Amino acid sequence: MNKKRIILFSFLLAGLHVTSWSQSYQKTDNGIKARIQGTDVEVQFYTPQIVRIIKAPAGSTAMEKSLAVIAAPQKKLRLVIGEEKDELTVLTQSVVVKLNRQTAAIRFYDKNAALLLKEKENGTHFSPSADPPLYDVVQTFQLEGGESIYGLGQHQSGVMDQRGQQLLLKQNNMQIAVPFFQSIKGYGVLWDNNSTTHFKDDADGTSFQSEVGAGVDYYFIQGGNADKVIAGYRQLTGEAPLFPRWTLGYWQSRERYKSQYETNEVVRKYRELHVPLDGIVQDWQYWGEDESYWNSTEFGNPRFPEPKKMVDSVHDHHAHIIISVWPSFGNKTKIYEAFKQQNLLFGKYVTWPINENVEVYDAFNPHARDIYWSYMNKNIFSIGIDGWWLDSTEPDHFKDKESDEAYQTFLGAYRKVRNAFPLIHTGGVYKHQREVTGNKRVFILARSAFSGQQRFGTMMWSGDVVSGWNVFRKQISGGLNLSLSGLPYWNSDIGGFFSGRNYPGGVSDAAFRELYVRWLQFGTFCPMMRSHGTDTPREIYQFGAKGDWAYDAIEKFINLRYRFLPYNYSNAWEVAAGGTMMRALMMDFPTDKKVLNIDNEYMFGKSMLVCPVTDSMYTSRANGNTAVDLKTIKKQKLYLPAGTQWFDFWTGEKLAGDQEVEKEAPIDIMPLYVKAGSIIPMGPFQQYTDEKKPDALEIRIYEGADGKFTLYEDEGDNYNYEKRICTFIDFEWNDKARTLTIKDRKGSFPGMLQNRTFNVVVVKKGNGTGMEVPGKFDRVITYTGKAVTTKIP
């Protein structure tokens, strides 16, 4: 750091406010404004770590209010502003911003004067757009050679590191556009533009180019690591609320259950088989098969004569139900007529089978969102439906693909706001339900998302993917990059949506059964575990009965999902507090260069290393027939990251990090490893998430390092947790002293356990790891809410 920067930081740390005036710039409450070479530039600090950069042609139209960003700049920030011949400098205790007074190019440094990111000289461009007086806008950055970046939504290209990629950020089935990336250097860039955007990284630089905008508008977030970058992103765009506990159970779905009897029978059958289940999904055409009544939000299909009775039956079986609702409506529906009378429709839509008498509502109009919810509330929510499957949230299937961008919305031409449709659409449902009741947490399953959508209680899924091993593997990097885009909740259709293309025999084909089992194992370690698809049914009993290899493997992993419920729900609380559940390896091992582009492993929470099996091992095809060989056990190669030791979850064997290993992977085993120093609570075997009280949790300790874990609990399905009506129990393992300390319980909630038992197991090879509950524990602790420490020899 040169002397001038040292002096500036010294002034800042001493609490002094340095001001340097010049005719060439203007000081603002949160930074500076300047006019350079015909461009108006503003540097605006939102927090000491977050900087907004605005650039526009001199005197042009002001920036419109952001749809993604909801934060306001902090008041009374301590800024230091310095003026040099060629540069203006604005800095806080965390970030230094330098603005070139000749070219308007900006550079960002950390507090130690290390360069983090710089704009390319003359890398800002404006040209006339199709929506005057707005512009086609471009900003190009120059990244360091070898610098890995992640995020940009979900793109099924099968890569983790987005360097060298060219991506069209335009909402579509199977492609989720989020104009945000973060760097392995510990910073992020949020490009605040709602129009179709082209991302490109090549020898000329790293650029965002948006088709419509008042100017360049982006946020630089300095975090130091991935978790803090995401925390900064959510500070700008909103925190992710906590989902109901039941959403962490197992979900069964199909395209589609064709009667209320069929829906209820699936739930009844799971209970009869004693296979855990918490959710059932009712897909489309409950409104009837005449497409003029498309998405009426009413049960018009005669096969659903008593919808409330259907919902009540699901609840009587201790399960929950969500239902499909679209953003488009047939021309004979009451809701269509309500929209049409007030000119609140904006685009012709093509459904299946082809029907052109369907139109999309203008979600950007607040009154249209009111009408949308009023019909959902009156016809669906009122009978007890627990959540929403908002399908086609892009939306896609417009009749006229060439001119759809010219459709007019409440906020202007659709081209200007198209990527934000899922954000506004889901936001309307979230806000309205919360106004109706706080006793039922909002749960939305959506196919698309945009910056900030995490604040609306939305779980994304990867779209209508095809059943296939290569597609399956690409789900992993797609979901991880979406998580690195700040949107923490994601899943995929277990087994792939379209099975008939590669597996016309469906569940009768052993090759499909193998793919389905492996995909379900992966789904066990996703934020939502949900089976869904078309062409062939997916319920567990379609795969045989107890004793059949596919059935047994499916049942084993569904049970494992429930055993991990205390761990998963505690991690869900961490998400609500700014964390990430499904974690790319670079988040926890940023200095291990071997992990930077690994696309088939990840952390689930900060303790579990997951390596899905994404290749066929036990079935083969020849002459149109499928052969099965389960006796010859195959192995899966995987890498154990450096800097820690690892325990094989299934055997308890301890292994060193920084090595590639081969793990035996019979059909009912997916490689799982636990980081040394982890403390993992495991719950009881149960049929649904609230069947049994967690009064005797198994606490697994993985020695070799000090460890901490916070067990989070609350009522499970209301918003009292926002008032801190919940509990936290901190566990700490001192590896050298071999002591476990369980601290005083913090907080309370109605119905909480006053006293409970913690059965402690220090995991080692052969002492009851994997799915088995040990017959003997290292310690049995009776806990009354007061701190206790025990030593384990």
Side-chain angles (χ1 to χ4, degrees), residues 171-215:
Q171 308 295 8
N172 201 359
N173 185 355
M174 299 183 286
Q175 305 294 328
I176 298 176
V178 182
F180 170 80
F181 71 80
Q182 61 168 292
S183 166
I184 194 66
K185 293 168 69 174
Y187 69 84
V189 175
L190 171 61
W191 180 254
D192 196 7
N193 187 292
N194 308 311
S195 71
T196 297
T197 296
H198 303 262
F199 171 85
K200 181 170 66 173
D201 179 82
D202 59 20
D204 292 328
T206 304
S207 63
F208 288 105
Q209 181 257 318
S210 291
E211 296 181 1
V212 182

Side-chain angles (χ1 to χ4, degrees), residues 467-494:
S467 303
W469 290 100
N470 62 328
V471 175
F472 170 29
R473 177 160 180 159
K474 290 176 181 178
Q475 303 307 293
I476 303 170
S477 58
L480 292 172
N481 270 303
L482 187 67
S483 291
L484 288 165
S485 304
L487 283 72
Y489 285 117
W490 175 93
N491 71 118
S492 62
D493 292 345
I494 290 175

Side-chain angles (χ1 to χ4, degrees), residues 557-606:
F557 274 81
I558 293 176
N559 276 309
L560 184 60
R561 175 73 171 193
Y562 283 77
R563 287 277 277 149
F564 273 115
L565 180 61
Y567 176 77
N568 289 342
Y569 196 54
S570 297
N571 282 321
W573 163 256
E574 290 292 335
V575 169
T580 300
M581 184 180 292
M582 192 174 177
R583 306 171 60 82
L585 295 183
M586 55 76 62
M587 297 186 72
D588 296 294
F589 309 97
T591 61
D592 186 348
K593 294 189 177 184
K594 295 177 184 177
V595 311
L596 298 185
N597 206 28
I598 288 180
D599 68 335
N600 66 334
E601 299 177 36
Y602 61 98
M603 298 294 291
F604 196 61
K606 294 185 178 181

Side-chain angles (χ1 to χ4, degrees), residues 150-258:
Y150 306 90
L152 298 168
Q154 173 200 278
H155 301 279
Q156 304 199 27
S157 55
V159 299
M160 278 302 306
D161 187 348
Q162 302 289 6
R163 292 302 300 271
Q165 299 295 302
Q166 295 189 34
L167 299 172
L168 177 63
L169 302 185
K170 182 178 183 178
Q171 308 295 8
N172 201 359
N173 185 355
M174 299 183 286
Q175 305 294 328
I176 298 176
V178 182
F180 170 80
F181 71 80
Q182 61 168 292
S183 166
I184 194 66
K185 293 168 69 174
Y187 69 84
V189 175
L190 171 61
W191 180 254
D192 196 7
N193 187 292
N194 308 311
S195 71
T196 297
T197 296
H198 303 262
F199 171 85
K200 181 170 66 173
D201 179 82
D202 59 20
D204 292 328
T206 304
S207 63
F208 288 105
Q209 181 257 318
S210 291
E211 296 181 1
V212 182
V216 164
D217 191 354
Y218 70 90
Y219 295 80
F220 175 88
I221 304 168
Q222 163 62 354
N225 60 48
D227 282 306
K228 290 182 180 178
V229 170
I230 289 173
Y233 169 90
R234 297 207 195 127
Q235 189 174 359
L236 282 173
T237 64
E239 298 296 341
L242 185 60
F243 283 139
R245 184 165 52 237
W246 52 266
T247 62
L248 291 171
Y250 175 69
W251 287 72
Q252 187 60 60
S253 181
R254 185 199 295 182
E255 190 287 295
R256 64 199 179 278
Y257 298 120
K258 297 182 179 180

